[in-house]
Amino acid sequence: MQHDTAEGSESAASDLQAYAVLLRTLNGEFNRIAHTFAQAHGLHATDVHALAAILDASVNEGRPMTPSRLRERLNLTSGAVTACLDRLERAGHISRTRDDADRRVVHLHYRAGARALARRYFSPLARSTEAARQRFTPEQLETIAEFLRALNQELAREH
């Protein structure tokens, strides 16, 4: 009986539709959490996506986010990005600074207080992620990370 379960698991793991369902479910959970955060802090859903992009830019790209890259990342108009950044700045989530070398370039920074607020709010997500990570070996986690990096690269290429 256990062999049948393993076979069923194996075929599900190689089934593209099963992956699609798992990814949509994960995305739905992330969206639910982000929407709840947005509502609790008087933000739009787009604002939360912008905050994530600003936070992740230094890790993913090794440099601060700019309004033009944020516009491309979120597929928004310049006006929509400006309105979003104005809301985030008024609410104390971000700050804008001019580049020292080229004053035309604006860098977007996630403010420390806002980062701490988000960390507290999203701590259940961090705990769930860590609990799930504990179920896997370091080698399995590396494979999972490789898959997610490859998927992100493919999706970016499609964009």
Side-chain angles (χ1 to χ4, degrees):
M1 186 103 172
Q2 191 172 10
H3 180 68
D4 292 338
T5 304
E7 274 183 355
S9 252
E10 201 171 304
S11 66
S14 64
D15 181 17
L16 184 57
Q17 185 175 3
Y19 272 97
V21 169
L22 290 169
L23 290 170
R24 280 193 303 270
T25 302
L26 180 63
N27 188 54
E29 286 302 311
F30 284 150
N31 284 339
R32 181 184 57 77
I33 294 166
H35 183 72
T36 303
F37 178 80
Q39 282 185 322
H41 298 284
L43 302 174
H44 296 223
T46 301
D47 298 346
V48 178
H49 293 295
L51 285 172
I54 292 166
L55 181 63
D56 295 346
S58 60
V59 174
N60 292 337
E61 302 169 14
R63 58 190 174 147
M65 181 58 75
T66 64
S68 61
R69 289 195 349 266
L70 185 63
R71 181 184 57 76
E72 290 171 9
R73 173 83 43 84
L74 299 181
N75 196 28
L76 297 173
T77 66
S78 295
V81 167
T82 298
C84 173
L85 294 176
D86 288 346
R87 285 190 303 271
L88 291 173
E89 193 169 41
R90 271 194 312 272
H93 290 279
I94 66 159
S95 61
R96 298 181 237 202
T97 60
R98 297 268 177 198
D99 185 88
D100 291 335
D102 183 349
R103 303 288 295 156
R104 294 172 297 177
V105 176
V106 174
H107 292 174
L108 306 173
H109 303 279
Y110 205 138
R111 298 187 61 174
R115 191 180 294 218
L117 172 74
R119 190 175 293 121
R120 282 191 307 273
Y121 193 88
F122 290 102
S123 63
L125 176 60
R127 283 192 304 274
S128 296
T129 301
E130 187 53 31
R133 283 172 30 90
Q134 293 300 317
R135 297 179 189 176
F136 299 92
T137 66
E139 295 79 17
Q140 289 172 318
L141 289 171
E142 185 52 41
T143 299
I144 293 165
E146 285 177 33
F147 169 76
L148 293 173
R149 281 190 291 271
L151 180 57
N152 284 329
Q153 287 170 350
E154 292 298 325
L155 289 170
R157 203 170 299 164
E158 289 291 326
H159 177 64

